[in-house]
Amino acid sequence: MLLHGGGLARLRATTDVDDAAECLLRMWVDGPEWSPGEVDPAVRELCRGLIVGDLDSSDIHVVADLVHGSAPRAEKVVVEGAGHLVNLDRPDEFDQALLRFLSASR
């Protein structure tokens, strides 16, 4: 998915935080078959909720910080003692954060 539509190259080349966040949304939310206009805006907005494990790799934290810093309603939750698969490492904490994001999106 990172290679779709030159997404990785665009992400590496950009110096604009909003453009970087849009690259990530295109790669992770829209996917290879849909344009941003074909994805429900509420889904794209919901994806501004970030849940990362404190034990995840530094590049994931950089990406999460990038989106968090660029999105007006973004919220970042760092779950202690979790790696990349936060939902498996700390399911209760993940569920609480996800439910909070979903409630806030109404």
Side-chain angles (χ1 to χ4, degrees), residues 6-79:
L8 185 58
R10 179 177 165 196
L11 186 58
R12 285 182 176 156
T14 190
T15 57
D16 180 76
V17 174
D18 291 330
D19 187 42
E22 181 61 23
C23 287
L24 295 171
L25 284 170
R26 289 283 300 125
M27 290 186 288
W28 292 349
V29 179
D30 304 339
E33 302 299 326
W34 292 341
S35 70
E38 295 174 299
V39 176
D40 183 339
V43 172
R44 290 181 117 238
E45 185 63 28
L46 180 60
C47 292
R48 307 278 186 171
L50 308 159
I51 306 171
V52 295
D54 70 328
L55 303 175
D56 205 344
S57 62
S58 60
D59 60 329
I60 295 298
H61 284 273
V62 167
V63 169
D65 289 343
L66 184 64
V67 173
H68 182 242
S70 70
R73 290 183 30 195
E75 180 183 350
K76 179 182 171 188
V77 173
V78 179
V79 178

